[in-house]
Amino acid sequence: MIVKPYSPNLGAMITGLDLSKSISETELKFIKDTFHEFQVLFFQEQVEISPENQIKLGKYFGELHIHPAAPKMNNYPEIFEIHTHKDSKISNGAEDFHSDVSCDTEPPLGTMLQLHILPEYGGDTMFANMYMAYEALSDKMKSFLQELHASHESEHFYKDRYENQNKVNKQYPSAIHPIVRTHPVTKKKALYVNKFFTTRVEGLNIEESKLILKYLFQHCEKTDFQIRYRWNKNDMAFWDNRCTLHKAIWDYYPMERKGRRVTIKGTIPY
Ligand code: SIN
């Protein structure tokens, strides 16, 4: 396995490992260590992985999450299908910076996305380093935020998705999480708010909450903490939702972009 940093901000590219085959204990440990060091891994030079094998691959890292509102593959509820094309009315719903499903009480540890069809150009994904976003704050701001929690809600976001799918059993998870979370493995502190799901700072009045969130969203989205990944066919990205945000850019309409994602369950943020 060859690991090459993608940028000083975050990310690494990995070649020399075929993800369609079984992974040894040594390889798994190496991937986990590299994942915790670089926050997002891009496995390159891959073949298209079958849904069964992608589920198997995800399970090396933990139990898989089943998304209540995402388009799924028949017979594979763990697979979240990403597909945009000339008839798409909305993008895949990831066009603002977010951490996947942060509205869950135990939000996901990470997500693995492989793209099989790419637009001729465009369709990049951006990632932002939330350790860096936290570290860039002043000590006073860090200690102010340290005690605060925020609500993460889904109704405003999942409603449109459900309408597109004519879904009957609608679920709208919500949770309250610390604004500064400690990564359970690296023990580093990261900002944990995002425009998609974070709606309110607990204990502040509405006006204060709006101002603080506006500031934090802008801060987290500074280019200083980001990378922009240009996909190759069949690349598999594996991102850590506990210390990064990401955003898919829908700049390629009416071209097609298609892939599959599995999401690995996480633990309660602290
Ligand atoms: C996602 O948030 O899972 C989608 C990312 C992408 O399509 O690049």
Side-chain angles (χ1 to χ4, degrees):
M1 254 187 277
I2 299 163
V3 179
K4 245 170 113 178
Y6 187 74
S7 143
N9 282 355
L10 75 161
M13 298 165 288
I14 298 195
T15 49
L17 178 72
D18 182 352
L19 292 178
S20 66
K21 308 245 163 72
S22 294
I23 292 176
S24 70
E25 281 296 316
T26 319
E27 286 167 336
L28 184 61
K29 177 165 182 340
F30 185 76
I31 294 171
K32 284 185 180 170
D33 290 347
T34 314
F35 178 65
H36 293 131
E37 181 177 351
F38 291 96
Q39 302 164 257
V40 187
L41 303 180
F42 304 105
F43 295 91
Q44 298 179 332
E45 300 171 2
Q46 299 296 320
V47 295
E48 178 172 337
I49 293 174
S50 66
E52 290 88 351
N53 278 347
Q54 191 166 351
I55 289 170
K56 191 172 148 203
L57 176 65
K59 285 184 176 167
Y60 280 110
F61 301 91
E63 207 183 318
L64 297 189
H65 171 266
I66 298 182
H67 200 294
K72 315 228 183 36
M73 280 193 90
N74 281 344
N75 305 324
Y76 302 106
E78 299 94 338
I79 300 264
F80 178 159
E81 278 201 302
I82 300 274
H83 193 192
T84 32
H85 46 78
K86 66 178 174 36
D87 299 321
S88 298
K89 293 194 177 52
I90 53 168
S91 76
N92 63 29
E95 68 283 6
D96 250 332
F97 272 104
H98 64 286
S99 171
D100 290 322
V101 209
S102 69
C103 53
D104 276 9
T105 311
E106 296 184 339
L109 161 172
T111 303
M112 295 184 121
L113 171 66
Q114 186 176 48
L115 290 182
H116 317 120
I117 299 178
L118 293 174
E120 203 181 318
Y121 44 85
D124 300 348
T125 305
M126 303 188 67
F127 295 90
N129 182 336
M130 289 304 103
Y131 297 139
M132 286 179 92
Y134 172 75
E135 283 308 326
L137 298 169
S138 65
D139 287 345
K140 286 258 190 264
M141 182 56 100
K142 282 180 188 157
S143 46
F144 170 63
L145 296 176
Q146 187 63 46
E147 298 308 314
L148 294 177
H149 287 70
S151 299
H152 293 237
E153 294 177 297
S154 57
E155 184 164 355
H156 58 286
F157 174 41
Y158 288 178
K159 231 173 21 199
D160 286 352
R161 287 193 165 190
Y162 285 134
E163 258 154 44
N164 269 327
Q165 300 168 42
N166 297 321
K167 189 147 171 158
V168 185
N169 177 19
K170 298 176 184 162
Q171 294 168 44
Y172 297 112
S174 69
I176 294 178
H177 298 307
I179 286 185
V180 178
R181 74 177 289 186
T182 305
H183 192 287
V185 179
T186 65
K187 307 295 179 206
K188 283 164 50 179
K189 287 183 179 176
L191 277 179
Y192 193 63
V193 289
N194 67 87
K195 234 188 224 164
F196 262 21
F197 296 108
T198 317
T199 50
R200 169 106 209 228
V201 181
E202 297 294 304
L204 300 189
N205 67 37
I206 300 249
E207 202 181 340
E208 292 165 341
S209 164
K210 271 192 185 153
L211 275 170
I212 291 290
L213 286 182
K214 186 170 173 217
Y215 164 70
L216 288 176
F217 295 155
Q218 277 173 1
H219 175 73
C220 291
E221 294 184 15
K222 281 187 183 150
T223 49
D224 312 38
F225 316 135
Q226 291 175 8
I227 59 166
R228 178 171 176 140
Y229 188 67
R230 168 72 40 103
W231 293 80
N232 308 292
K233 184 176 155 71
N234 295 333
D235 283 352
M236 174 77 78
F238 181 21
W239 59 85
D240 191 330
N241 282 300
R242 300 163 295 187
C243 56
T244 64
L245 299 181
H246 62 281
K247 160 184 171 137
I249 299 175
W250 200 31
D251 56 357
Y252 50 90
Y253 180 85
M255 290 185 276
E256 188 178 14
R257 185 176 184 268
K258 188 174 184 186
R260 291 190 281 265
R261 166 183 141 170
V262 291
T263 311
I264 301 130
K265 283 188 181 175
T267 49
I268 297 179
Y270 64 94

